[in-house]
Coordinates of all heavy atoms in Angstrom, one line a residue:
L1 N -65.0 -48.3 -107.8 CA -65.2 -47.2 -108.7 C -65.9 -45.9 -108.0 O -65.5 -44.9 -108.2 CB -66.3 -47.6 -109.9 CG -65.5 -48.3 -111.1 CD1 -66.7 -48.9 -112.0 CD2 -64.7 -47.4 -111.9
A2 N -66.9 -46.2 -107.2 CA -67.6 -45.1 -106.6 C -66.6 -44.3 -105.7 O -66.7 -43.1 -105.7 CB -68.9 -45.6 -105.9
L3 N -66.0 -45.1 -104.9 CA -65.1 -44.5 -103.9 C -63.9 -43.7 -104.6 O -63.5 -42.7 -104.2 CB -64.5 -45.5 -102.9 CG -65.6 -46.2 -102.1 CD1 -64.9 -47.3 -101.2 CD2 -66.5 -45.1 -101.3
A4 N -63.5 -44.2 -105.6 CA -62.3 -43.5 -106.4 C -63.0 -42.3 -107.1 O -62.3 -41.1 -107.0 CB -61.9 -44.4 -107.7
A5 N -64.1 -42.2 -107.5 CA -64.7 -40.9 -108.2 C -64.9 -40.0 -107.0 O -64.6 -38.8 -107.2 CB -66.0 -41.3 -108.9
K6 N -65.6 -40.4 -105.9 CA -65.8 -39.2 -104.8 C -64.5 -38.9 -104.3 O -64.4 -37.7 -103.9 CB -66.7 -40.0 -103.8 CG -68.0 -40.6 -104.2 CD -68.8 -39.4 -105.0 CE -69.2 -38.3 -104.1 NZ -70.1 -37.4 -104.9
A7 N -63.4 -39.6 -104.0 CA -62.2 -39.2 -103.6 C -61.6 -38.2 -104.6 O -60.8 -37.3 -104.2 CB -61.2 -40.3 -103.3
S8 N -61.9 -38.3 -105.8 CA -61.4 -37.4 -106.9 C -62.3 -36.1 -107.0 O -61.9 -35.4 -107.8 CB -61.4 -38.1 -108.2 OG -60.6 -39.4 -108.2
G9 N -63.4 -35.9 -106.3 CA -64.1 -34.9 -106.4 C -65.1 -35.0 -107.5 O -65.8 -34.1 -107.9
G10 N -65.3 -36.3 -107.9 CA -66.2 -36.6 -109.1 C -67.6 -36.9 -108.7 O -68.0 -36.8 -107.6
K11 N -68.3 -37.5 -109.6 CA -69.7 -37.8 -109.7 C -69.9 -39.2 -109.9 O -69.2 -39.9 -110.6 CB -70.5 -37.0 -110.8 CG -72.0 -37.1 -110.9 CD -72.4 -36.2 -112.0 CE -73.9 -36.4 -112.3 NZ -74.3 -35.5 -113.4
V12 N -71.0 -39.8 -109.2 CA -71.3 -41.2 -109.3 C -72.9 -41.3 -109.7 O -73.7 -40.8 -109.1 CB -71.2 -41.8 -107.9 CG1 -71.7 -43.5 -107.9 CG2 -69.7 -42.0 -107.4
I13 N -73.0 -41.9 -110.8 CA -74.3 -42.3 -111.4 C -74.5 -43.8 -111.4 O -73.5 -44.5 -111.6 CB -74.3 -41.8 -112.9 CG1 -73.9 -40.4 -113.1 CG2 -75.7 -42.1 -113.5 CD1 -73.5 -39.9 -114.5
V14 N -75.7 -44.2 -111.0 CA -76.0 -45.5 -110.8 C -77.3 -46.0 -111.5 O -78.1 -45.2 -111.5 CB -76.0 -46.1 -109.4 CG1 -77.0 -45.4 -108.6 CG2 -76.3 -47.6 -109.2
Q15 N -77.2 -47.1 -112.2 CA -78.4 -47.7 -112.9 C -79.0 -48.8 -112.0 O -78.1 -49.7 -111.7 CB -78.1 -48.2 -114.2 CG -79.1 -49.0 -115.1 CD -78.8 -49.4 -116.4 OE1 -78.1 -48.6 -117.1 NE2 -79.0 -50.6 -116.7
V16 N -80.2 -48.8 -111.8 CA -80.9 -49.9 -111.0 C -82.2 -50.4 -111.6 O -82.7 -49.7 -112.4 CB -81.1 -49.4 -109.5 CG1 -79.9 -48.9 -108.8 CG2 -82.1 -48.3 -109.6
R17 N -82.5 -51.6 -111.1 CA -83.8 -52.1 -111.6 C -85.0 -51.5 -111.0 O -86.0 -51.5 -111.5 CB -83.6 -53.6 -111.3 CG -85.0 -54.5 -112.0 CD -84.7 -55.9 -111.9 NE -83.8 -56.4 -112.8 CZ -82.5 -56.8 -112.5 NH1 -82.1 -56.9 -111.3 NH2 -81.8 -57.2 -113.5
R18 N -84.9 -51.2 -109.6 CA -86.0 -50.6 -108.9 C -85.5 -49.8 -107.7 O -84.5 -49.7 -107.3 CB -86.9 -51.8 -108.4 CG -86.0 -52.6 -107.4 CD -86.8 -53.9 -107.1 NE -86.0 -54.9 -106.3 CZ -85.3 -55.8 -106.9 NH1 -85.2 -55.8 -108.2 NH2 -84.5 -56.5 -106.1
I19 N -86.6 -48.9 -107.4 CA -86.5 -48.1 -106.0 C -87.2 -48.7 -105.0 O -88.3 -49.2 -105.2 CB -87.0 -46.6 -106.3 CG1 -86.2 -46.1 -107.5 CG2 -86.8 -45.8 -105.0 CD1 -84.8 -45.8 -107.2
V20 N -86.6 -48.9 -103.8 CA -87.3 -49.5 -102.7 C -87.5 -48.5 -101.6 O -86.8 -47.4 -101.6 CB -86.5 -50.7 -102.2 CG1 -86.3 -51.7 -103.3 CG2 -85.1 -50.2 -101.6
E21 N -88.3 -49.0 -100.7 CA -88.6 -48.0 -99.6 C -87.4 -47.9 -98.7 O -86.6 -48.9 -98.5 CB -89.9 -48.5 -98.7 CG -91.2 -48.4 -99.5 CD -91.5 -47.0 -99.7 OE1 -91.4 -46.1 -98.8 OE2 -92.2 -46.6 -100.8
T22 N -87.2 -46.7 -98.1 CA -86.1 -46.5 -97.2 C -86.3 -47.4 -95.9 O -87.5 -47.5 -95.5 CB -86.0 -45.0 -96.8 OG1 -85.9 -44.2 -97.9 CG2 -84.9 -44.7 -95.9
N23 N -85.3 -47.9 -95.5 CA -85.3 -48.8 -94.3 C -86.0 -50.1 -94.5 O -86.4 -50.8 -93.6 CB -85.9 -48.1 -93.0 CG -85.1 -46.9 -92.7 OD1 -83.8 -46.9 -92.8 ND2 -85.8 -45.9 -92.3
S24 N -86.3 -50.3 -95.8 CA -87.1 -51.7 -96.0 C -86.0 -52.9 -96.1 O -86.5 -54.1 -96.3 CB -87.7 -51.6 -97.5 OG -86.8 -51.4 -98.5
R25 N -84.7 -52.5 -96.2 CA -83.7 -53.6 -96.2 C -82.9 -53.6 -94.9 O -82.8 -52.4 -94.4 CB -82.8 -53.5 -97.4 CG -83.6 -53.5 -98.7 CD -82.7 -53.2 -99.9 NE -82.1 -51.8 -99.7 CZ -81.7 -51.2 -100.8 NH1 -81.7 -51.6 -102.0 NH2 -81.2 -50.0 -100.6
P26 N -82.3 -54.6 -94.5 CA -81.4 -54.5 -93.3 C -80.0 -53.7 -93.9 O -79.8 -53.7 -95.1 CB -80.9 -55.9 -93.0 CG -81.3 -56.7 -94.3 CD -82.6 -56.1 -94.9
A27 N -79.5 -53.0 -92.9 CA -78.2 -52.1 -93.3 C -77.2 -53.1 -93.9 O -76.5 -52.7 -94.8 CB -77.7 -51.5 -91.9
T28 N -77.1 -54.4 -93.5 CA -76.2 -55.2 -94.0 C -76.3 -55.5 -95.6 O -75.4 -55.9 -96.2 CB -76.2 -56.6 -93.3 OG1 -77.4 -57.1 -93.3 CG2 -75.6 -56.3 -91.9

């Protein structure tokens, strides 16, 4: 969905449970 919207020049909104620190997770 996200890639379809961005390829269309559209907008991506996401709902998450929490915000984490940048680089706190492995890139994988």
Side-chain angles (χ1 to χ4, degrees):
L1 275 173
L3 298 181
K6 298 310 290 185
S8 302
K11 178 180 179 181
V12 174
I13 307 167
V14 58
Q15 176 180 316
V16 298
R17 183 173 286 109
R18 59 188 172 275
I19 301 296
V20 300
E21 290 294 325
T22 303
N23 300 323
S24 63
R25 303 171 301 201
T28 52

